Amino acid sequence: MRIFLLLLAFFVFASHAKPITYYFSPDIKFDQNITKPSEVLGYEVGEWHVRHDQLVHYLTLLAKQSPRISLSTIGYSHEQRPLLQLAITNPTQLEKLESLREAHLTSLKEGETSPSAPNVIWMGYSVHGNEPSGSNAAMLVAYYLAAAQGEEVEHILKNNIILLDPAMNPDGLARFAHWANSHKGQTLSSDPAHREHVESWPSARTNHYWFDLNRDWLLLQHPESIARVAQFHRWKPTVLTDFHEMGTNSSYFFQPGIPSRTHPITPKKNQTLTHVLAKYHAQTLDKERQLYFTQESFDDFYIGKGSTYPDVNGTIGILFEQASSRGHVQESINGELYFHRTIKNQLLTSLSTFTGATEHKEALMAYQRSFFAEAEHLASKEKFKGYIVAKGKDTYRFKQFAALLKSHQINAYPITKAITIADHEYQVGDLFVPLQQQQYRFIKAAFSTQTEFEDNTFYDVSGWTLPYAFDLNFSAVTSSWGLKYSESPWEPTQSSFSAEQVSNAYAYAFEWHHYLAPKLLNLLLKEGFEVRGALKPFTAQTQHGQQPFSAGSIVIPAGLQTLPNWQVKLADIANNTEIKLFTIDTGLTANGIDLGSRLMTPIEKPKVLLVGGEGTSQYEVGELWYHLDRHVSLAPTIVEQHRLGKIDLSRYTHIILADGRYDQLTKQAKAAIYSWVKSGGIIWGQKRGAKWLIEQQLLSVETVSTTEMKALFKAENLPYSERDALAAKQRIAGAIFQADVDVTHPLAFGFEDSTLPLFKNSTWVMKHNSKPFSNVLKYSNAPLLSGYAHEKNVAQIANSNALVARKYGKGLVIAMTDNPVFRGYWYGTSRLLNNALFFASSVE
């Protein structure tokens, strides 16, 4: 009986398992000395979702067996999974891989390529972890290139170096494989409502910190992206593929996308070649009778996506989207969609990419050469010479910005003489970014302040201007007269920072404008230091003479410290954050408050409760977690909404509500929050989190709902064809607005000037009100800085509140219309959240 059941189970599973012959044409012969995926996995590809460790194991074995493959680990994910890159070509070329790479880069500088030089093709799979058909197909692609025999594969290998990135998001892929495999039965369920097809929060689309890595190519906040972009520029492929999945009821998409939604800086030849390669994908899918579409949905505008970043870097980026089974099989309008079918389609278009790119090798390589050769000529025709960016007082934020430019191969030069441009005086050490360099197009796109567009519908954000995100002043340079700068571009340097130790000091102090000042403060509080925050400016006698300190500066009085060897600990922690400590000789100041003033407020260690779970935005919760962890060294307690009523809130100083729906909170949870705030708790809400605070009457602010904002646009008598255009006008997909800052408010300590760029992707508005001292940020009179927003939306947002803080009992309620830590790279606005952690309790 037991044998019968085992045999029955085998046949149930085997009925949906597809052998290697299912995926490849029977005409293809394979080297039998090369191990098949199933011989390592213990099952056929597509029968189960491959785990990342299995993928690594198989590809490592393949590289050992095949003389066509070189395997490298180019980095590690947050969860320390290896990021693999396979370089695949014929054995002769593999032996001289490095010299071929160098020759390829030289050809782009000199404009000439040997006819025998191989092309470089980059194949990237599954940047979203719950879109696993790509990574599963990558095993088959690697097996084909390693083991296939015959003239066709030899021709591909001779003419190309193929760089294969089999799992662009290892942590997400591992999470989803566990989910899908955990819910698979011997009898497969295709019901879309089945748990296998409905992931719990957060989904495995994201990486460890719940970020969308496909939006991180420009921003480079994560190790996966940093390693990938470094390799991209190390090789500069002519073609880069990006394999994704989409809704189950779709079919298959490959670019070109919607023509009017291509970034204007992308050359037309790029789209022409994309069309050429598309014919090969169509032919291969036609043979399989598979449905597909092009030039619908999806765009090539935001330069931080995996298929668009290449376009502004001289490469043809191609997006592939396969309808997803989101498990092993799922019902769809096109019948039951099996996982193995999704894998096969990704394999087929991988192979069609090789065929098309090989047949059009000369055209692709010539296009890439011309892309860079034309850069300086196009720059010379511009009405301006480049951009100049001010470093300001915060050297850390400035260095992060400069390092980001460097990662994108942009040369920036420190200026050697002060100069005034557009009424702003730039100082020695500020950066000049000239247009005349190979990255001309990328510079224009990264610094773009465009607000008018041919097509106002965006798949992603329409504004991302890098200096705005870092809150750095910048100007276009229209004339080189008087501009003096270094002959050598900016380079990161090894720090020699060392904090001074003076044992008989009266107190130590550091300034708050430094981006890592909150991190230093939090580390001190965790160690048990007694710390004071200055609510007013003062000037103190230091080891270097009289030193002015702005409001928000932190003081460590010697007389209050009880820790053994506290001066040594203080110096060590300051060294780690590279923040200068000032030694103060006396508590009597020359100007402003004295060090024993009641306006030197005690700072308490924050204990943060971050609300997550179903209903909240996994992206925003992840971004908040990432910011607090990385930049403040603070571990928030993340709690799902449904558990709030059971949590002892008295343990926490702060509650943070990200964007999301909070209508499922129980009466018990609401009552606990009311009581906690009244007793002195600090609650921060952003976007719909802020809206909930107002709806619950924790904060009294008049608002304009998103529904009311939509009503500004009349839909009467519009033809059906205008639906999408109307929806585009009604929303803000992602633009940058300017706000006026009350720099005297504790929540705005550390800001150098009274204006601040904000990233905005919501039309919800908090009206400006006359209640004094509660309006921390207010949108400017003409607020739109970059990206698209309809003039009606802009008019409603102008002069409205962006950040409000008001007392509720002994506590404080803070509401912000926007996300201050968007995608981890908004270094400017994230300081607002930091201030709320340490100075909110001092708000009256």
Side-chain angles (χ1 to χ4, degrees):
M1 184 65 178
R2 184 169 178 268
I3 295 175
F4 172 76
L5 291 174
L6 288 172
L7 288 172
L8 178 61
F10 170 79
F11 284 116
V12 169
F13 278 118
S15 64
H16 298 298
K18 298 295 181 181
I20 202 76
T21 52
Y22 164 77
Y23 292 104
F24 294 103
S25 166
D27 297 334
I28 301 175
K29 306 301 180 185
F30 290 95
D31 183 346
Q32 297 304 305
N33 293 316
I34 302 294
T35 302
K36 299 181 182 69
S38 60
E39 294 170 341
V40 169
L41 300 176
Y43 59 84
E44 298 291 350
V45 173
E47 188 177 353
W48 295 88
H49 285 247
V50 70
R51 302 192 313 268
H52 185 260
D53 61 291
Q54 294 173 306
L55 184 65
V56 170
H57 178 53
Y58 176 67
L59 295 177
T60 302
L61 176 63
L62 208 58
K64 290 178 180 178
Q65 293 179 342
S66 173
R68 301 171 177 176
I69 298 177
S70 172
L71 177 68
S72 302
T73 298
I74 60 173
Y76 290 87
S77 70
H78 283 296
E79 296 176 13
Q80 295 304 296
R81 290 185 172 88
L83 303 167
L84 300 186
Q85 182 183 77
L86 284 73
I88 309 173
T89 188
N90 68 28
T92 302
Q93 292 179 158
L94 196 68
E95 290 178 358
K96 51 183 180 179
L97 195 63
E98 183 61 17
S99 62
L100 289 173
R101 183 189 70 81
E102 291 174 353
H104 173 62
L105 296 184
T106 300
S107 74
L108 299 181
K109 293 179 181 178
E110 298 179 354
E112 293 184 4
T113 304
S114 167
S116 63
N119 192 14
V120 180
I121 303 173
W122 183 298
M123 307 296 288
Y125 298 92
S126 298
V127 71
H128 296 141
N130 62 1
E131 300 176 4
S133 58
S135 287
N136 282 265
M139 285 188 297
L140 296 170
V141 174
Y143 172 69
Y144 170 80
L145 295 172
Q149 305 291 295
E151 184 178 336
E152 183 175 349
V153 71
E154 293 292 346
H155 185 60
I156 290 171
L157 294 170
K158 178 182 178 182
N159 282 279
N160 300 287
I161 296 170
I162 296 166
L163 303 174
L164 195 145
D165 187 342
M168 300 167 77
N169 179 4
D171 298 345
L173 182 73
R175 203 155 72 238
F176 188 70
H178 176 74
W179 177 270
N181 291 336
S182 294
H183 296 97
K184 177 185 177 182
Q186 291 185 359
T187 304
L188 301 182
S189 174
S190 62
D191 186 347
H194 178 49
R195 183 173 168 83
E196 179 184 3
H197 309 303
V198 186
E199 288 178 86
S200 63
W201 187 100
S203 77
R205 174 184 176 88
T206 53
N207 77 337
H208 173 79
Y209 281 102
W210 311 333
F211 276 64
D212 183 341
L213 289 178
N214 195 41
R215 276 38 178 190
D216 197 45
W217 286 71
L218 170 65
L219 316 177
L220 301 184
Q221 294 300 299
H222 299 278
E224 300 92 335
S225 309
I226 293 168
R228 186 165 300 117
V229 167
Q231 289 298 313
F232 174 88
H233 288 293
R234 189 169 178 270
W235 280 98
K236 294 195 184 298
T238 64
V239 175
L240 182 146
T241 62
D242 188 18
F243 287 88
H244 288 252
E245 293 181 11
M246 55 184 167
T248 305
N249 288 320
S250 296
S251 56
Y252 197 93
F253 169 85
F254 51 86
Q255 285 180 316
I258 299 175
S260 61
R261 299 180 194 170
T262 299
H263 197 285
I265 208 72
T266 303
K268 291 183 179 179
K269 184 66 174 178
N270 174 289
Q271 294 298 290
T272 300
L273 289 169
T274 302
H275 276 273
V276 168
L277 295 177
K279 293 179 181 178
Y280 291 85
H281 311 318
Q283 289 170 2
T284 194
L285 293 175
D286 284 344
K287 290 178 182 177
E288 294 280 325
R289 301 295 189 264
Q290 291 296 297
L291 298 175
Y292 58 86
F293 64 97
T294 65
Q295 297 184 282
E296 294 177 36
S297 189
F298 306 109
D299 66 26
D300 263 330
F301 190 81
Y302 170 51
I303 66 170
K305 289 191 307 179
S307 59
T308 310
Y309 183 86
D311 292 341
V312 292
N313 279 283
T315 300
I316 309 298
I318 303 179
L319 171 69
F320 297 92
E321 294 271 358
Q322 163 65 50
S324 181
S325 63
R326 285 292 191 271
H328 294 87
V329 61
Q330 189 173 168
E331 298 168 13
S332 81
I333 61 173
N334 298 313
E336 288 190 327
L337 179 60
Y338 281 89
F339 185 39
H340 56 73
R341 180 70 251 183
T342 71
I343 295 169
K344 184 171 183 178
N345 285 346
Q346 305 284 41
L347 168 66
L348 290 172
T349 50
S350 296
L351 300 182
S352 64
T353 297
F354 299 150
T355 302
T358 302
E359 291 190 13
H360 295 276
K361 167 187 163 182
E362 291 184 10
L364 290 166
M365 296 176 79
Y367 164 74
Q368 189 176 47
R369 291 194 303 271
S370 68
F371 180 93
F372 292 110
E374 292 172 356
E376 294 200 19
H377 171 68
L378 291 172
S380 68
K381 297 169 67 176
E382 292 284 355
K383 295 180 180 179
F384 64 105
K385 306 296 182 182
Y387 300 94
I388 193 165
V389 184
K391 62 179 180 294
K393 293 181 180 180
D394 183 0
T395 55
Y396 181 84
R397 196 159 25 102
F398 179 71
K399 286 179 180 178
Q400 294 301 305
F401 170 78
L404 183 59
L405 296 185
K406 193 70 181 177
S407 295
H408 294 300
Q409 308 295 294
I410 295 172
N411 288 325
Y413 299 83
I415 65 172
T416 55
K417 181 182 177 182
I419 187 172
T420 300
I421 299 175
D423 298 325
H424 186 89
E425 186 172 344
Y426 291 91
Q427 305 297 324
V428 172
D430 293 350
L431 287 183
F432 172 57
V433 184
L435 286 182
Q436 287 206 341
Q437 53 182 300
Q438 276 200 330
Q439 287 295 73
Y440 153 75
R441 291 182 177 88
F442 191 86
I443 292 167
K444 283 202 69 179
F447 281 77
S448 173
T449 55
Q450 183 178 358
T451 57
E452 295 183 3
F453 305 87
E454 176 187 350
D455 189 328
N456 295 328
T457 303
F458 298 93
Y459 181 73
D460 201 85
V461 300
S462 61
W464 54 81
T465 318
L466 291 183
Y468 283 147
F470 286 81
D471 189 24
L472 297 173
N473 290 318
F474 72 105
S475 302
V477 179
T478 55
S479 171
S480 58
W481 186 87
L483 179 65
K484 305 294 182 182
Y485 55 91
S486 171
E487 294 182 358
S488 301
W490 180 92
E491 292 283 353
T493 56
Q494 189 69 33
S495 174
S496 58
F497 181 87
S498 179
E500 297 182 43
Q501 295 184 38
V502 181
S503 59
N504 61 350
Y506 179 83
Y508 292 90
F510 59 91
E511 296 175 295
W512 193 244
H513 59 252
H514 194 289
Y515 190 75
L516 294 184
K519 182 175 185 176
L520 171 55
L521 174 56
N522 191 53
L523 291 172
L524 293 176
L525 293 171
K526 286 200 290 187
E527 286 290 333
F529 280 82
E530 285 291 331
V531 179
R532 299 291 183 264
L535 300 183
K536 295 288 184 180
F538 64 97
T539 300
Q541 180 66 38
T542 73
Q543 75 273 33
H544 300 298
Q546 295 290 333
Q547 174 70 35
F549 291 90
S550 302
S553 295
I554 302 301
V555 176
I556 304 103
L560 298 181
Q561 309 311 316
T562 58
L563 296 171
N565 300 316
W566 65 269
Q567 290 100 334
V568 174
K569 290 181 180 178
L570 174 60
D572 286 344
I573 297 173
N575 277 335
N576 289 335
T577 53
E578 298 189 7
I579 294 178
K580 182 177 181 179
L581 288 175
F582 293 89
T583 302
I584 298 178
D585 300 333
T586 173
L588 186 64
T589 64
N591 291 296
I593 59 175
D594 293 323
L595 268 59
S597 168
R598 286 177 289 181
L599 293 175
M600 282 287 181
T601 187
I603 305 291
E604 296 182 4
K605 181 176 68 174
K607 179 67 174 174
V608 176
L609 183 69
L610 176 56
V611 180
E614 294 294 339
T616 62
S617 166
Q618 65 178 354
Y619 302 117
E620 290 201 11
V621 174
E623 288 157 3
L624 288 161
W625 172 28
Y626 174 77
H627 171 76
L628 296 173
D629 186 18
R630 179 184 181 189
H631 295 305
V632 191
S633 285
L634 188 153
T637 299
I638 304 174
V639 173
E640 294 87 346
Q641 284 192 61
H642 67 83
R643 294 172 52 210
L644 264 183
K646 303 174 183 178
I647 297 293
D648 177 10
L649 298 184
S650 67
R651 290 171 51 89
Y652 307 98
T653 59
H654 294 69
I655 293 176
I656 298 179
L657 303 178
D659 185 42
R661 304 186 319 274
Y662 294 93
D663 52 342
Q664 298 301 313
L665 285 177
T666 64
K667 289 182 180 180
Q668 182 183 1
K670 292 178 184 178
I673 291 172
Y674 295 145
S675 176
W676 174 83
V677 177
K678 277 186 176 180
S679 299
I682 298 159
I683 190 164
W684 167 291
Q686 59 194 53
K687 297 169 68 174
R688 284 180 293 169
K691 183 172 178 280
W692 184 85
L693 295 175
I694 294 169
E695 290 171 345
Q696 301 304 311
Q697 300 181 355
L698 285 164
L699 185 66
S700 178
V701 177
E702 191 177 352
T703 66
V704 181
S705 70
T706 53
T707 301
E708 291 174 290
M709 293 289 281
K710 284 185 177 181
L712 296 172
F713 302 88
K714 303 302 180 184
E716 292 85 353
N717 301 319
L718 285 179
Y720 188 78
S721 60
E722 291 295 313
R723 287 182 311 147
D724 289 346
L726 174 64
K729 293 175 182 177
Q730 291 174 326
R731 67 192 289 255
I732 297 176
I736 301 172
F737 285 67
Q738 179 174 275
D740 298 325
V741 187
D742 178 1
V743 294
T744 68
H745 197 285
L747 296 187
F749 284 167
F751 287 94
E752 296 177 41
D753 56 53
S754 58
T755 60
L756 178 67
L758 303 178
F759 179 82
K760 189 168 191 63
N761 59 359
S762 166
T763 56
W764 178 66
V765 172
M766 291 192 298
K767 289 185 178 181
H768 184 66
N769 62 80
S770 58
K771 188 161 185 177
F773 317 127
S774 64
N775 304 316
V776 185
L777 294 182
K778 178 177 73 70
Y779 284 107
S780 305
N781 185 51
L784 184 61
L785 293 174
S786 176
Y788 171 72
H790 192 277
E791 58 186 15
K792 290 184 179 181
N793 286 329
V794 175
Q796 284 289 322
I797 292 166
N799 299 309
S800 66
N801 277 329
L803 180 65
V804 174
R806 205 167 289 170
K807 297 292 286 186
Y808 184 87
K810 295 180 181 179
L812 188 71
V813 180
I814 307 169
M816 187 171 182
T817 53
D818 308 298
N819 175 10
V821 293
F822 179 70
R823 292 184 179 168
Y825 83 114
W826 273 82
Y827 280 60
T829 51
S830 59
R831 293 176 293 164
L832 296 164
L833 180 63
N834 296 343
N835 285 340
L837 295 176
F838 299 103
F839 284 102
S841 59
S842 64
V843 176
E844 298 294 337

